[in-house]
Amino acid sequence: MDARIPLLIDTDPGVDDALALLLAFNDRAHEVVGLTIAAGNVGLHHTTANALKLCELVGRSDVPVYAGSASPLLHPAPDAAYVHGNDGFGDVGYAPAAHGLQDEHAALAILRLSHVHAGSLVLVALGPLTNIALALKLDPTLPSRVARFVTMAGAVTGHGNITPSAEFNVYFDPEAAKIVFDAFPTFELSDWEATVAHGLPHDEVLAWMQAGGARADFYEAISRKTREWSADRRGDEWHSADALAMAWVLAPDGVLETVARPVDVVLDHGPARGATIVDWQRQLGRPDNVTILMRYDRVRFHALVREALQAV
């Protein structure tokens, strides 16, 4: 019997998603049972190709990859190609993976795997929540079979990264985020503001990659454009939102502080669209539904990233 914890990752690779996947594949206590892919950072054609390439890079072409939604549920949204490159992987022109996608839609795969691993499945969302929202519309009982749901989403005090108040994953598909946030009685949220508080020093990350092997070389190439973009705008530290969320998933003992509060999503078509509203004073009388990451051990986080980059 496999004693490892089954890990299902919904993602839109993306440079920071790629680092999170390297962490997941390097962890011995968890077994990645599938990748479900959405559009987000770039279009679905690229995010699926990138997921397949990451699996091939780490020698895990056996991990099934499922294509999901190519667009938000209701309204068009901008992608983040200006950060990640037009193909999401820095436009380095990598050779495509030799293997392909599964025939099953991502939303259906989420539901099926939730039955296969009922009660033990860890579901991690690193991109827009479209696929999980679709799964919930097909089967609202999904949360009852998920042992732990962790999402990289939101900006808990309204300091956004795509608009003044909204974080990218929620802004890309706020209707989906609303469906998911309302459906799970409790879940864990690693937001953009936690990301900013847990930066990765540019020089150190580069040194880790230069001391690594094939994984480090590939990641250095695909992340170069993003790291240069970040250095021009955010100073000495680079930020990997998805890697921080994945560190919390894999090594929860590294958490130094969390808080539990009610959280909601703004759907209005105005300047606050996609904002995550935290009822910090519990004024609305709603139950706490989200555990929010506030502080994670930076030394532990950096060690997990370094080890993943230098794995062979």
Side-chain angles (χ1 to χ4, degrees):
M1 173 179 265
D2 192 339
R4 291 174 295 177
I5 300 167
L7 185 61
L8 176 59
I9 305 171
D10 191 73
T11 178
D12 62 331
V15 169
D16 57 337
D17 304 73
L19 184 55
L21 292 175
L22 290 178
L23 265 70
F25 283 122
N26 194 49
D27 185 81
R28 295 183 179 180
H30 293 76
E31 171 64 10
V32 179
V33 298
L35 303 179
T36 54
I37 312 300
N41 284 320
V42 289
L44 187 66
H45 170 73
H46 292 303
T47 57
T48 51
N50 294 346
L52 291 167
K53 186 64 179 180
L54 252 295
C55 291
E56 182 180 76
L57 175 71
V58 301
R60 292 301 311 274
S61 296
D62 60 305
V63 172
V65 178
Y66 307 91
S69 179
S71 62
L73 292 179
L74 295 179
H75 303 288
D79 65 21
Y82 64 97
V83 176
H84 297 266
N86 291 323
D87 70 351
F89 269 12
D91 299 320
V92 298
Y94 67 79
H99 67 299
L101 297 163
Q102 303 296 307
D103 291 335
E104 189 176 23
H105 189 280
L108 296 176
I110 290 168
L111 293 175
R112 179 176 55 79
L113 290 167
S114 76
H115 285 281
V116 172
H117 303 284
S120 61
L121 184 68
V122 175
L123 176 61
V124 183
L126 302 178
L129 291 161
T130 316
N131 289 334
I132 299 175
L134 288 171
L136 285 162
K137 283 299 182 183
L138 291 169
D139 182 359
T141 70
L142 169 64
S144 69
R145 295 184 297 277
V146 174
R148 187 180 176 201
F149 173 47
V150 182
T151 179
M152 189 284 122
V156 296
T157 67
H159 291 73
N161 63 353
I162 185 68
T163 73
S165 60
E167 176 274 330
F168 176 83
N169 285 341
V170 176
Y171 182 79
F172 186 86
D173 196 345
E175 283 78 17
K178 171 72 171 172
I179 290 168
V180 174
F181 286 12
D182 286 352
F184 278 84
T186 60
F187 64 96
E188 297 165 62
L189 185 144
S190 181
D191 83 315
W192 173 247
E193 294 173 55
T195 303
V196 173
H198 297 80
L200 295 162
H202 282 281
D203 293 343
E204 291 186 32
V205 174
L206 183 58
W208 300 340
M209 291 187 290
Q210 290 173 340
R215 296 185 193 189
D217 290 344
F218 182 80
Y219 194 75
E220 193 283 323
I222 67 168
S223 67
R224 191 177 305 142
K225 179 177 290 188
T226 301
R227 288 182 287 109
E228 290 173 354
W229 181 90
S230 178
D232 287 344
R233 291 159 179 81
R234 295 174 179 154
D236 294 335
E237 291 191 327
W238 174 56
H239 303 99
S240 181
D242 295 332
L244 179 63
M246 188 60 72
W248 187 12
V249 171
L250 303 175
D253 56 330
V255 171
L256 300 178
E257 182 184 0
T258 61
V259 296
R261 290 293 189 277
V263 176
D264 207 342
V265 179
V266 176
L267 302 182
D268 296 345
H269 287 273
R273 178 169 171 78
T276 40
I277 304 301
V278 179
D279 187 359
W280 291 107
Q281 307 304 320
R282 299 187 175 100
Q283 293 168 298
L284 300 179
R286 297 179 57 189
D288 296 344
N289 63 327
V290 180
T291 299
I292 302 166
L293 179 64
M294 304 301 291
R295 291 191 302 128
Y296 191 90
D297 184 333
R298 286 172 64 94
V299 173
R300 185 74 181 280
F301 177 42
H302 291 182
L304 288 167
V305 171
R306 183 181 66 252
E307 291 163 5
L309 289 170
Q310 296 180 347
V312 294

PDB file of all heavy atoms in Angstrom, residues 12-35:
ATOM      1  N   ASP A  12      -2.045  26.448 -13.961  1.00  0.00           N
ATOM      2  CA  ASP A  12      -2.013  27.132 -15.262  1.00  0.00           C
ATOM      3  C   ASP A  12      -0.573  27.525 -15.599  1.00  0.00           C
ATOM      4  O   ASP A  12      -0.256  28.699 -15.722  1.00  0.00           O
ATOM      5  CB  ASP A  12      -2.928  28.368 -15.247  1.00  0.00           C
ATOM      6  CG  ASP A  12      -2.497  29.417 -14.236  1.00  0.00           C
ATOM      7  OD1 ASP A  12      -1.884  29.043 -13.202  1.00  0.00           O
ATOM      8  OD2 ASP A  12      -2.740  30.623 -14.477  1.00  0.00           O
ATOM      9  N   PRO A  13       0.335  26.565 -15.737  1.00  0.00           N
ATOM     10  CA  PRO A  13       1.770  26.880 -15.850  1.00  0.00           C
ATOM     11  C   PRO A  13       2.087  27.804 -17.015  1.00  0.00           C
ATOM     12  O   PRO A  13       1.758  27.496 -18.126  1.00  0.00           O
ATOM     13  CB  PRO A  13       2.395  25.505 -16.103  1.00  0.00           C
ATOM     14  CG  PRO A  13       1.379  24.509 -15.715  1.00  0.00           C
ATOM     15  CD  PRO A  13       0.053  25.141 -15.886  1.00  0.00           C
ATOM     16  N   GLY A  14       2.820  28.919 -16.860  1.00  0.00           N
ATOM     17  CA  GLY A  14       3.302  29.682 -15.758  1.00  0.00           C
ATOM     18  C   GLY A  14       4.591  29.298 -15.056  1.00  0.00           C
ATOM     19  O   GLY A  14       4.859  28.174 -14.704  1.00  0.00           O
ATOM     20  N   VAL A  15       5.458  30.371 -14.970  1.00  0.00           N
ATOM     21  CA  VAL A  15       6.775  30.202 -14.368  1.00  0.00           C
ATOM     22  C   VAL A  15       6.680  29.868 -12.893  1.00  0.00           C
ATOM     23  O   VAL A  15       7.393  28.974 -12.399  1.00  0.00           O
ATOM     24  CB  VAL A  15       7.642  31.461 -14.600  1.00  0.00           C
ATOM     25  CG1 VAL A  15       8.905  31.415 -13.755  1.00  0.00           C
ATOM     26  CG2 VAL A  15       8.012  31.600 -16.074  1.00  0.00           C
ATOM     27  N   ASP A  16       5.831  30.563 -12.132  1.00  0.00           N
ATOM     28  CA  ASP A  16       5.768  30.264 -10.696  1.00  0.00           C
ATOM     29  C   ASP A  16       5.053  28.936 -10.458  1.00  0.00           C
ATOM     30  O   ASP A  16       5.392  28.203  -9.523  1.00  0.00           O
ATOM     31  CB  ASP A  16       5.153  31.400  -9.882  1.00  0.00           C
ATOM     32  CG  ASP A  16       3.760  31.797 -10.326  1.00  0.00           C
ATOM     33  OD1 ASP A  16       3.406  31.536 -11.486  1.00  0.00           O
ATOM     34  OD2 ASP A  16       3.042  32.383  -9.511  1.00  0.00           O
ATOM     35  N   ASP A  17       4.096  28.580 -11.297  1.00  0.00           N
ATOM     36  CA  ASP A  17       3.490  27.245 -11.222  1.00  0.00           C
ATOM     37  C   ASP A  17       4.566  26.178 -11.429  1.00  0.00           C
ATOM     38  O   ASP A  17       4.557  25.137 -10.763  1.00  0.00           O
ATOM     39  CB  ASP A  17       2.422  27.060 -12.298  1.00  0.00           C
ATOM     40  CG  ASP A  17       1.335  28.101 -12.245  1.00  0.00           C
ATOM     41  OD1 ASP A  17       1.606  29.253 -12.631  1.00  0.00           O
ATOM     42  OD2 ASP A  17       0.216  27.775 -11.839  1.00  0.00           O
ATOM     43  N   ALA A  18       5.465  26.426 -12.381  1.00  0.00           N
ATOM     44  CA  ALA A  18       6.516  25.444 -12.662  1.00  0.00           C
ATOM     45  C   ALA A  18       7.377  25.199 -11.432  1.00  0.00           C
ATOM     46  O   ALA A  18       7.736  24.049 -11.135  1.00  0.00           O
ATOM     47  CB  ALA A  18       7.376  25.931 -13.829  1.00  0.00           C
ATOM     48  N   LEU A  19       7.713  26.250 -10.707  1.00  0.00           N
ATOM     49  CA  LEU A  19       8.516  26.067  -9.498  1.00  0.00           C
ATOM     50  C   LEU A  19       7.730  25.279  -8.453  1.00  0.00           C
ATOM     51  O   LEU A  19       8.282  24.394  -7.783  1.00  0.00           O
ATOM     52  CB  LEU A  19       8.947  27.418  -8.942  1.00  0.00           C
ATOM     53  CG  LEU A  19       9.880  27.384  -7.734  1.00  0.00           C
ATOM     54  CD1 LEU A  19      11.127  26.554  -8.023  1.00  0.00           C
ATOM     55  CD2 LEU A  19      10.272  28.808  -7.322  1.00  0.00           C
ATOM     56  N   ALA A  20       6.454  25.569  -8.316  1.00  0.00           N
ATOM     57  CA  ALA A  20       5.622  24.813  -7.375  1.00  0.00           C
ATOM     58  C   ALA A  20       5.565  23.339  -7.759  1.00  0.00           C
ATOM     59  O   ALA A  20       5.615  22.455  -6.892  1.00  0.00           O
ATOM     60  CB  ALA A  20       4.212  25.401  -7.336  1.00  0.00           C
ATOM     61  N   LEU A  21       5.475  23.047  -9.050  1.00  0.00           N
ATOM     62  CA  LEU A  21       5.448  21.657  -9.492  1.00  0.00           C
ATOM     63  C   LEU A  21       6.777  20.970  -9.210  1.00  0.00           C
ATOM     64  O   LEU A  21       6.799  19.790  -8.826  1.00  0.00           O
ATOM     65  CB  LEU A  21       5.111  21.591 -10.981  1.00  0.00           C
ATOM     66  CG  LEU A  21       3.691  22.014 -11.360  1.00  0.00           C
ATOM     67  CD1 LEU A  21       3.519  22.013 -12.869  1.00  0.00           C
ATOM     68  CD2 LEU A  21       2.645  21.119 -10.715  1.00  0.00           C
ATOM     69  N   LEU A  22       7.881  21.678  -9.376  1.00  0.00           N
ATOM     70  CA  LEU A  22       9.181  21.090  -9.040  1.00  0.00           C
ATOM     71  C   LEU A  22       9.240  20.737  -7.557  1.00  0.00           C
ATOM     72  O   LEU A  22       9.779  19.687  -7.183  1.00  0.00           O
ATOM     73  CB  LEU A  22      10.308  22.046  -9.406  1.00  0.00           C
ATOM     74  CG  LEU A  22      10.564  22.261 -10.902  1.00  0.00           C
ATOM     75  CD1 LEU A  22      11.675  23.279 -11.112  1.00  0.00           C
ATOM     76  CD2 LEU A  22      10.903  20.952 -11.610  1.00  0.00           C
ATOM     77  N   LEU A  23       8.682  21.601  -6.706  1.00  0.00           N
ATOM     78  CA  LEU A  23       8.614  21.278  -5.278  1.00  0.00           C
ATOM     79  C   LEU A  23       7.785  20.022  -5.044  1.00  0.00           C
ATOM     80  O   LEU A  23       8.177  19.135  -4.277  1.00  0.00           O
ATOM     81  CB  LEU A  23       8.018  22.448  -4.491  1.00  0.00           C
ATOM     82  CG  LEU A  23       8.988  23.448  -3.856  1.00  0.00           C
ATOM     83  CD1 LEU A  23       9.684  24.280  -4.925  1.00  0.00           C
ATOM     84  CD2 LEU A  23       8.259  24.368  -2.879  1.00  0.00           C
ATOM     85  N   ALA A  24       6.635  19.945  -5.684  1.00  0.00           N
ATOM     86  CA  ALA A  24       5.742  18.802  -5.463  1.00  0.00           C
ATOM     87  C   ALA A  24       6.390  17.503  -5.920  1.00  0.00           C
ATOM     88  O   ALA A  24       6.307  16.477  -5.230  1.00  0.00           O
ATOM     89  CB  ALA A  24       4.422  19.032  -6.197  1.00  0.00           C
ATOM     90  N   PHE A  25       7.025  17.519  -7.081  1.00  0.00           N
ATOM     91  CA  PHE A  25       7.645  16.301  -7.600  1.00  0.00           C
ATOM     92  C   PHE A  25       8.875  15.894  -6.784  1.00  0.00           C
ATOM     93  O   PHE A  25       9.288  14.727  -6.842  1.00  0.00           O
ATOM     94  CB  PHE A  25       8.022  16.483  -9.066  1.00  0.00           C
ATOM     95  CG  PHE A  25       6.863  16.383 -10.015  1.00  0.00           C
ATOM     96  CD1 PHE A  25       6.554  17.428 -10.870  1.00  0.00           C
ATOM     97  CD2 PHE A  25       6.077  15.249 -10.055  1.00  0.00           C
ATOM     98  CE1 PHE A  25       5.488  17.333 -11.758  1.00  0.00           C
ATOM     99  CE2 PHE A  25       5.005  15.140 -10.935  1.00  0.00           C
ATOM    100  CZ  PHE A  25       4.713  16.190 -11.787  1.00  0.00           C
ATOM    101  N   ASN A  26       9.421  16.824  -6.038  1.00  0.00           N
ATOM    102  CA  ASN A  26      10.605  16.523  -5.226  1.00  0.00           C
ATOM    103  C   ASN A  26      10.257  16.043  -3.822  1.00  0.00           C
ATOM    104  O   ASN A  26      11.142  15.700  -3.042  1.00  0.00           O
ATOM    105  CB  ASN A  26      11.506  17.760  -5.134  1.00  0.00           C
ATOM    106  CG  ASN A  26      12.888  17.448  -4.618  1.00  0.00           C
ATOM    107  OD1 ASN A  26      13.536  16.509  -5.099  1.00  0.00           O
ATOM    108  ND2 ASN A  26      13.365  18.188  -3.630  1.00  0.00           N
ATOM    109  N   ASP A  27       8.967  16.005  -3.496  1.00  0.00           N
ATOM    110  CA  ASP A  27       8.546  15.667  -2.139  1.00  0.00           C
ATOM    111  C   ASP A  27       8.235  14.180  -2.037  1.00  0.00           C
ATOM    112  O   ASP A  27       7.467  13.632  -2.835  1.00  0.00           O
ATOM    113  CB  ASP A  27       7.312  16.485  -1.765  1.00  0.00           C
ATOM    114  CG  ASP A  27       6.910  16.269  -0.327  1.00  0.00           C
ATOM    115  OD1 ASP A  27       7.509  16.888   0.559  1.00  0.00           O
ATOM    116  OD2 ASP A  27       5.988  15.451  -0.096  1.00  0.00           O
ATOM    117  N   ARG A  28       8.816  13.518  -1.042  1.00  0.00           N
ATOM    118  CA  ARG A  28       8.657  12.074  -0.908  1.00  0.00           C
ATOM    119  C   ARG A  28       7.396  11.669  -0.151  1.00  0.00           C
ATOM    120  O   ARG A  28       6.979  10.513  -0.218  1.00  0.00           O
ATOM    121  CB  ARG A  28       9.882  11.491  -0.209  1.00  0.00           C
ATOM    122  CG  ARG A  28      11.162  11.632  -1.021  1.00  0.00           C
ATOM    123  CD  ARG A  28      12.340  10.984  -0.329  1.00  0.00           C
ATOM    124  NE  ARG A  28      13.562  11.097  -1.119  1.00  0.00           N
ATOM    125  CZ  ARG A  28      14.737  10.610  -0.738  1.00  0.00           C
ATOM    126  NH1 ARG A  28      14.840   9.976   0.428  1.00  0.00           N
ATOM    127  NH2 ARG A  28      15.792  10.755  -1.514  1.00  0.00           N
ATOM    128  N   ALA A  29       6.801  12.593   0.577  1.00  0.00           N
ATOM    129  CA  ALA A  29       5.623  12.248   1.377  1.00  0.00           C
ATOM    130  C   ALA A  29       4.330  12.355   0.591  1.00  0.00           C
ATOM    131  O   ALA A  29       3.291  11.864   1.043  1.00  0.00           O
ATOM    132  CB  ALA A  29       5.553  13.138   2.621  1.00  0.00           C
ATOM    133  N   HIS A  30       4.377  13.016  -0.570  1.00  0.00           N
ATOM    134  CA  HIS A  30       3.188  13.197  -1.393  1.00  0.00           C
ATOM    135  C   HIS A  30       3.398  12.550  -2.758  1.00  0.00           C
ATOM    136  O   HIS A  30       4.508  12.543  -3.287  1.00  0.00           O
ATOM    137  CB  HIS A  30       2.875  14.683  -1.583  1.00  0.00           C
ATOM    138  CG  HIS A  30       2.465  15.390  -0.330  1.00  0.00           C
ATOM    139  ND1 HIS A  30       3.366  15.746   0.643  1.00  0.00           N
ATOM    140  CD2 HIS A  30       1.242  15.809   0.106  1.00  0.00           C
ATOM    141  CE1 HIS A  30       2.726  16.356   1.633  1.00  0.00           C
ATOM    142  NE2 HIS A  30       1.436  16.400   1.332  1.00  0.00           N
ATOM    143  N   GLU A  31       2.313  12.068  -3.332  1.00  0.00           N
ATOM    144  CA  GLU A  31       2.336  11.493  -4.669  1.00  0.00           C
ATOM    145  C   GLU A  31       1.398  12.291  -5.568  1.00  0.00           C
ATOM    146  O   GLU A  31       0.189  12.382  -5.302  1.00  0.00           O
ATOM    147  CB  GLU A  31       1.889  10.031  -4.640  1.00  0.00           C
ATOM    148  CG  GLU A  31       1.675   9.391  -6.000  1.00  0.00           C
ATOM    149  CD  GLU A  31       2.939   9.291  -6.842  1.00  0.00           C
ATOM    150  OE1 GLU A  31       4.061   9.544  -6.301  1.00  0.00           O
ATOM    151  OE2 GLU A  31       2.837   8.944  -8.028  1.00  0.00           O
ATOM    152  N   VAL A  32       1.954  12.905  -6.608  1.00  0.00           N
ATOM    153  CA  VAL A  32       1.141  13.671  -7.551  1.00  0.00           C
ATOM    154  C   VAL A  32       0.327  12.687  -8.385  1.00  0.00           C
ATOM    155  O   VAL A  32       0.882  11.905  -9.164  1.00  0.00           O
ATOM    156  CB  VAL A  32       2.019  14.558  -8.447  1.00  0.00           C
ATOM    157  CG1 VAL A  32       1.139  15.338  -9.432  1.00  0.00           C
ATOM    158  CG2 VAL A  32       2.864  15.523  -7.604  1.00  0.00           C
ATOM    159  N   VAL A  33      -0.990  12.716  -8.220  1.00  0.00           N
ATOM    160  CA  VAL A  33      -1.857  11.760  -8.911  1.00  0.00           C
ATOM    161  C   VAL A  33      -2.456  12.343 -10.186  1.00  0.00           C
ATOM    162  O   VAL A  33      -3.107  11.624 -10.946  1.00  0.00           O
ATOM    163  CB  VAL A  33      -2.981  11.253  -7.985  1.00  0.00           C
ATOM    164  CG1 VAL A  33      -2.386  10.507  -6.798  1.00  0.00           C
ATOM    165  CG2 VAL A  33      -3.883  12.396  -7.509  1.00  0.00           C
ATOM    166  N   GLY A  34      -2.239  13.627 -10.416  1.00  0.00           N
ATOM    167  CA  GLY A  34      -2.732  14.236 -11.643  1.00  0.00           C
ATOM    168  C   GLY A  34      -2.528  15.728 -11.643  1.00  0.00           C
ATOM    169  O   GLY A  34      -2.401  16.356 -10.582  1.00  0.00           O
ATOM    170  N   LEU A  35      -2.473  16.283 -12.852  1.00  0.00           N
ATOM    171  CA  LEU A  35      -2.451  17.729 -13.048  1.00  0.00           C
ATOM    172  C   LEU A  35      -3.661  18.092 -13.893  1.00  0.00           C
ATOM    173  O   LEU A  35      -3.839  17.552 -14.994  1.00  0.00           O
ATOM    174  CB  LEU A  35      -1.171  18.179 -13.767  1.00  0.00           C
ATOM    175  CG  LEU A  35       0.166  17.826 -13.131  1.00  0.00           C
ATOM    176  CD1 LEU A  35       1.315  18.345 -13.999  1.00  0.00           C
ATOM    177  CD2 LEU A  35       0.280  18.397 -11.722  1.00  0.00           C
TER     178      LEU A  35
END
